Amino acid sequence: MTQDNNYEPPKVWKWDAASGGEWASINRPISGATHEADLQQGKHNLQLHSLGTPNGQKVTIMLEELLEAGVKEAEYDAYLINIGEGAQFSSGFVELNPNSKIPVLYDVEIGQRVFETSSILHYLAEKFGKFLPTDPAKRAEVMNWLFWSHGSAPFVGGGFGHFYFYAPEKIEYAIDRYTMETKRLLDVLDKQLANNKYIAGDEYTIADMGAWPWYGNLVLHNSYEASEFLQVDDYKNVQRWAKEILARPAVQRGRIVNKSGEGNLPERHDASDFDNL
């Protein structure tokens, strides 16, 4: 491997707002609000502020699965947060999530904010008693895989996806490093699914909802235009699992919420909103 980048880190790093590609004007090394703006609030108890990225899809899929299962109390309002315009740094959003990352959920009934996708999935599973086994051993296995996907996603999106697709320049070392890790993670999942219908066993759970938006989209929808590069067709068990989950009506609905463009639903306030697409 050759490497043309002769960059030498300085003794003290200094932020250069002009570097960093298309996100240079948004990203910064400090936290907190950049502007005053209240979040909208709809009629339902559950208020979601998100964007239809893989992380955002986790929660909308969970909410739609709860509704599909007959849990009427899981009705929700979903408002789009345009991270490209820095909406995640509004005072209203930062109040609910100091980390300024989508998604964030607000439970009006008890005045509870919930951020981090795995925390939201777990919160909803506990609140409504769905998609999380009560048997201690099965429950532990679900949590194992839920946090596996939570920890592995940054390698896939923030690592591989960033350097292969989004970075302003192609850095061979970085692409090789994160490609190797992404393929290793796909292999971990493929081997787990060789002997299990779903990630944590025979039951469809929040472990699948946490992993599918990253790995399902990666192998089925040419994420980062990298299907051939990653040879995703080689992961037969992941392919089978991804297609079976995509066939679920709740997944088909959840994956288009808080997304712009034809066939998507930027905001969601009622089940009938899908009928107008």
Side-chain angles (χ1 to χ4, degrees):
M1 181 185 75
T2 59
Q3 184 63 47
D4 296 328
N5 190 339
N6 295 317
Y7 170 74
E8 287 290 337
K11 290 184 178 181
V12 178
W13 181 82
K14 292 183 179 180
W15 177 37
D16 180 4
S19 65
E22 63 178 301
W23 298 103
S25 62
I26 301 298
N27 292 332
R28 57 205 178 103
I30 56 175
S31 63
T34 60
H35 60 283
E36 294 291 323
D38 294 330
L39 292 178
Q40 295 175 280
Q41 183 169 317
K43 61 183 178 180
H44 299 299
N45 180 55
L46 296 177
Q47 299 291 302
L48 180 69
H49 302 274
S50 188
L51 183 66
T53 63
N55 282 334
Q57 290 177 36
K58 296 180 188 182
V59 179
T60 48
I61 287 172
M62 173 62 162
L63 289 165
E64 292 296 332
E65 288 285 10
L66 288 166
L67 293 169
E68 188 80 11
V71 182
K72 296 179 181 179
E73 297 80 5
E75 269 292 354
Y76 68 103
D77 293 284
Y79 291 98
L80 188 148
I81 297 295
N82 191 328
I83 63 174
E85 296 179 356
Q88 70 275 29
F89 298 114
S90 72
S91 57
F93 193 92
V94 171
E95 184 178 356
L96 294 186
N97 185 358
N99 196 38
S100 293
K101 301 291 184 181
I102 61 95
V104 67
L105 180 74
Y106 186 68
D107 188 332
V108 178
E109 181 182 16
I110 60 174
Q112 180 63 54
R113 67 181 186 183
V114 193
F115 58 89
E116 292 296 327
T117 54
S118 293
S119 179
I120 298 173
L121 293 178
H122 182 257
Y123 179 83
L124 292 171
E126 291 276 21
K127 183 178 179 72
F128 298 115
K130 297 287 186 181
F131 305 113
L132 181 60
T134 56
D135 175 79
K138 292 181 178 180
R139 188 184 185 89
E141 191 68 6
V142 169
M143 298 306 289
N144 286 341
W145 288 100
L146 176 64
F147 284 101
W148 170 82
S149 66
H150 192 102
S152 68
F155 289 96
V156 179
F160 173 77
H162 175 78
F163 286 107
Y164 183 80
F165 189 76
Y166 292 110
E169 60 180 303
K170 303 300 182 186
I171 302 173
E172 183 179 2
Y173 175 82
I175 292 172
D176 284 348
R177 169 69 179 88
Y178 285 107
T179 299
M180 179 175 64
E181 184 64 8
T182 297
K183 289 182 69 66
R184 188 190 71 80
L185 292 166
L186 282 167
D187 191 54
V188 169
L189 184 56
D190 199 65
K191 287 174 178 173
Q192 174 66 9
L193 290 167
N195 299 309
N196 296 280
K197 180 175 176 61
Y198 298 108
I199 290 182
D202 295 330
E203 297 180 54
Y204 177 63
T205 69
I206 56 175
D208 300 284
M209 298 177 209
W212 188 90
W214 283 105
Y215 294 100
N217 281 317
L218 187 64
V219 301
L220 295 182
H221 299 121
N222 197 22
S223 297
Y224 314 119
E225 300 177 5
S227 291
E228 182 179 5
F229 183 75
L230 293 172
Q231 297 177 293
V232 297
D233 290 341
D234 290 351
Y235 304 99
K236 304 299 183 184
N237 301 309
V238 178
Q239 289 278 347
R240 183 268 307 164
W241 165 82
K243 291 173 183 176
E244 289 181 7
I245 290 181
L246 181 59
R248 299 177 68 92
V251 174
Q252 294 176 29
R253 294 195 302 271
R255 66 183 298 268
I256 66 171
V257 176
N258 291 146
K259 294 175 73 173
S260 301
E262 185 176 357
N264 293 318
L265 200 62
E267 288 191 9
R268 189 268 190 213
H269 304 288
D270 188 82
S272 62
D273 290 344
F274 295 100
D275 299 333
N276 300 322
L277 294 176

